């Protein structure tokens, strides 16, 4: 309750609740907080390292305790080191906060950590130029068979969410969920610059979930998106908004804790259908590629933080209200991938 009153997104809250339920199950519901000791922390780390991947999707585990699941999954693929560390840090955050609140001088298991040696198998990579050409020369963009058969060559192009969302991420670095949640009013002109307004509220009263406090920002619209016709799409939505005020009403939105779940699954299938899916590339690879493109264009860190919605830890960042879109538009338009998308211009 204390943390959710701050800037935690719904998904972060749900992840923490899940982890704390696991922790309680591991140390025992009757354990008093003041009795927690280093062995309890070590035991929970061991449990986390034994949890099988995709545990929630396996029906056989539904009626089993966490300890029973871990014991029966000795040969199964486990959670990644990155995920284990994320969950362990969530538990430690709760324990440390509680020690402060209860005036306990030493947090139990303060020196217990999860090894974070880099694992190349877990790394996410940007899309290569060949992969980007494969995506944007696919039938989805050049002519497909039907709405339901976007990976099969045909003569139809549907300029809906599935068409636009990858393009927007390519040229803005925006997260999938940030784009899916955009309303018509979030694409507009301010001080002569077209922007995507990534925020938490809408005029229809609906709320949006953002990953962090820094995620709330205004990102200029790349000139390439304007050439391809994003403003034409906006005008069409303004003229016929219907009952749904989303910029891309055709894209089904998941629950607040996992807004992107449906589009993410579709995009994974799309990559597989066009033959470029790899273990190290996902939709988030667009964001990695955008970051690399900013670096290649020589865009300074502060501007990158503002565009990507990352926290700027420099001393100067604590002054002022951040960089305005008019100050960021040239940096954003310097991003280019040596891709010829002129056939998509409208």
């Amino acid at each position: 309750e204390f943390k959710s009153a701050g800037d935690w997104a719904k998904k972060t809250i749900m992840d923490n609740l899940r982890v704390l339920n696991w922790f309680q199950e591991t140390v025992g519901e009757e354990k008093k907080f003041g009795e927690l000791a280093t062995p309890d922390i070590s035991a929970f780390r061991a449990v986390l390292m034994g949890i099988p991947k995709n545990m929630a999707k396996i029906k056989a585990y539904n009626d089993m305790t966490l300890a029973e699941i871990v014991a029966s999954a000795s040969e199964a693929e486990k959670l990644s080191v990155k995920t284990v560390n994320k969950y362990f840090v969530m538990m430690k955050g709760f324990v440390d906060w509680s020690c402060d609140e209860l005036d306990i001088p030493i947090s139990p298991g303060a020196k217990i950590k999860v090894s974070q040696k880099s694992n190349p198998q877990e790394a996410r990579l940007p899309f290569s130029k060949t992969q980007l050409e494969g995506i944007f020369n696919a039938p989805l963009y050049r002519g497909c068979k039907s709405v339901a058969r976007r990976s099969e060559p045909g003569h139809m192009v549907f300029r809906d969410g599935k068409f636009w969302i990858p393009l927007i991420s390519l040229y803005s670095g925006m997260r999938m969920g940030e784009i899916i949640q955009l309303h018509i009013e979030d694409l507009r002109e301010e001080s002569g610059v077209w922007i995507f307004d990534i925020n938490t509220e809408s005029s229809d009263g609906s709320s949006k979930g953002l990953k962090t406090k820094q995620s709330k920002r205004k990102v200029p619209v790349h000139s390439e998106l304007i050439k391809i016709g994003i403003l034409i799409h906006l005008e069409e939505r303004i003229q016929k908004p219907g009952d749904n005020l989303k910029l891309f009403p055709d894209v089904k939105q998941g629950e607040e804790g996992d807004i992107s779940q449906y589009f993410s699954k579709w995009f994974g299938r799309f990559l597989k259908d066009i033959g470029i899916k790899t273990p190290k590339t996902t939709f988030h690879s667009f964001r990695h590629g955008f970051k690399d493109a900013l670096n290649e264009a020589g865009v300074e860190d502060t501007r990158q933080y503002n565009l990507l919605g990352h926290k700027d830890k420099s001393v100067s960042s604590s002054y002022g209200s951040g960089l305005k879109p008019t100050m960021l538009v040239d940096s954003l338009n310097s991003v280019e991938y040596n891709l010829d998308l002129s056939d998509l211009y409208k």
Side-chain angles (χ1 to χ4, degrees), residues 131-340:
Q131 287 176 305
L132 289 176
E133 288 174 341
I135 292 170
F136 296 108
N137 285 319
L140 170 65
Y141 291 98
R142 306 297 173 166
C144 62
K145 207 142 200 174
S146 67
V147 170
R149 300 163 76 179
R150 308 257 186 151
S151 301
E152 299 179 36
H155 304 287
M156 307 179 77
V157 175
F158 303 92
R159 290 178 169 246
D160 55 9
K162 290 176 180 176
F163 176 96
W164 280 112
I165 291 174
L167 281 168
I168 291 173
S169 189
L170 176 72
Y171 284 110
S172 70
M174 289 165 61
R175 300 177 179 93
M176 184 191 296
E178 293 172 346
I179 305 172
I180 290 173
Q181 293 181 101
L182 288 171
H183 279 60
I184 296 171
E185 64 191 0
D186 296 327
L187 174 52
R188 63 178 184 276
E189 191 176 19
E190 284 191 4
S191 302
V193 175
W194 284 94
I195 64 161
F196 293 111
D197 186 355
I198 305 167
N199 56 66
T200 56
E201 300 297 335
S202 300
S203 59
D204 64 359
S206 62
S207 61
K208 307 169 189 171
L210 296 181
K211 184 174 182 180
T212 65
K213 181 171 58 179
Q214 291 76 33
S215 299
K216 189 176 180 180
R217 63 199 188 280
K218 295 178 180 179
V219 179
V221 179
H222 197 287
S223 58
E224 197 73 358
L225 292 176
I226 294 176
K227 291 176 184 176
I228 295 171
I230 189 62
L231 301 185
I232 296 174
H233 175 81
L234 173 64
E235 185 60 30
E236 291 171 350
R237 291 292 297 123
I238 290 173
Q239 291 178 4
K240 296 181 180 180
D243 296 328
N244 191 329
L245 298 182
K246 293 281 197 307
L247 189 60
F248 306 112
D250 58 289
V251 176
K252 185 179 179 182
Q253 183 171 309
E255 299 298 323
E256 191 173 349
D258 192 2
I259 293 163
S260 310
Q261 64 183 111
Y262 298 112
F263 191 88
S264 180
K265 290 177 181 177
W266 171 83
F267 189 75
R269 292 194 300 270
F270 168 69
L271 292 183
K272 184 177 181 181
D273 289 343
I274 62 175
I276 63 169
K277 184 174 177 61
T278 72
K280 296 184 182 180
T281 49
T282 64
F283 186 92
H284 205 67
S285 296
F286 286 125
R287 188 165 166 85
H288 286 287
F290 182 77
K291 178 71 165 64
D292 286 350
L294 289 172
N295 288 332
E296 290 173 15
V299 177
E300 63 180 0
D301 288 349
T302 298
R303 293 175 183 271
Q304 291 195 27
Y305 295 145
N306 278 263
L307 288 168
L308 289 164
H310 285 161
K311 186 173 183 179
D312 187 349
K313 297 181 181 179
S314 65
V315 175
S316 60
S317 68
S318 60
Y319 297 92
S321 56
L323 301 179
K324 296 180 179 179
T326 52
M327 304 168 68
L328 295 170
V329 64
D330 289 341
S331 296
L332 181 126
N333 280 327
S334 69
V335 168
E336 65 93 24
Y337 299 94
N338 195 25
L339 288 172
D340 183 9

Side-chain angles (χ1 to χ4, degrees), residues 97-118:
W97 177 83
S98 299
C99 284
D100 292 340
E101 293 290 306
L102 299 170
D103 199 23
I104 297 174
I106 300 177
S107 179
K111 294 184 179 181
I112 302 296
K113 291 179 173 48
V114 174
S115 172
Q116 276 198 288
K117 291 182 180 179
S118 60

Side-chain angles (χ1 to χ4, degrees), residues 13-199:
I13 295 170
M14 299 308 294
D15 282 346
N16 273 271
L17 285 172
R18 183 188 314 117
V19 170
L20 294 181
N21 282 328
W22 289 344
F23 183 58
Q24 177 177 265
E25 185 176 341
T26 301
V27 301
E29 189 172 350
E30 301 304 317
K31 172 86 73 170
K32 291 185 171 62
F33 192 90
E35 297 172 353
L36 283 176
T38 296
D40 295 310
I41 307 302
S42 297
F44 186 62
R45 178 181 61 181
V47 167
L48 287 177
M49 294 176 72
I51 292 177
K53 190 175 182 181
N54 297 321
M55 178 177 73
K57 297 180 180 179
I58 301 174
K59 293 182 179 179
Y61 295 152
N62 287 351
D63 298 322
M64 298 170 67
T65 66
L66 186 60
E68 290 171 341
I69 293 172
V70 170
S72 66
S74 58
E75 302 300 321
E77 184 182 0
K78 305 301 190 295
L79 295 177
S80 69
V81 174
K82 182 178 179 181
T83 301
V84 168
N85 187 66
K86 180 181 82 169
Y87 290 159
F88 188 76
V89 168
M90 287 179 178
M91 178 276 296
K92 285 290 290 174
F94 167 72
V95 171
D96 291 346
W97 177 83
S98 299
C99 284
D100 292 340
E101 293 290 306
L102 299 170
D103 199 23
I104 297 174
I106 300 177
S107 179
K111 294 184 179 181
I112 302 296
K113 291 179 173 48
V114 174
S115 172
Q116 276 198 288
K117 291 182 180 179
S118 60
N119 182 350
Q121 297 303 316
E122 295 175 12
R124 288 283 183 251
L125 297 176
F127 289 116
S128 66
K129 185 174 185 293
T130 300
Q131 287 176 305
L132 289 176
E133 288 174 341
I135 292 170
F136 296 108
N137 285 319
L140 170 65
Y141 291 98
R142 306 297 173 166
C144 62
K145 207 142 200 174
S146 67
V147 170
R149 300 163 76 179
R150 308 257 186 151
S151 301
E152 299 179 36
H155 304 287
M156 307 179 77
V157 175
F158 303 92
R159 290 178 169 246
D160 55 9
K162 290 176 180 176
F163 176 96
W164 280 112
I165 291 174
L167 281 168
I168 291 173
S169 189
L170 176 72
Y171 284 110
S172 70
M174 289 165 61
R175 300 177 179 93
M176 184 191 296
E178 293 172 346
I179 305 172
I180 290 173
Q181 293 181 101
L182 288 171
H183 279 60
I184 296 171
E185 64 191 0
D186 296 327
L187 174 52
R188 63 178 184 276
E189 191 176 19
E190 284 191 4
S191 302
V193 175
W194 284 94
I195 64 161
F196 293 111
D197 186 355
I198 305 167
N199 56 66

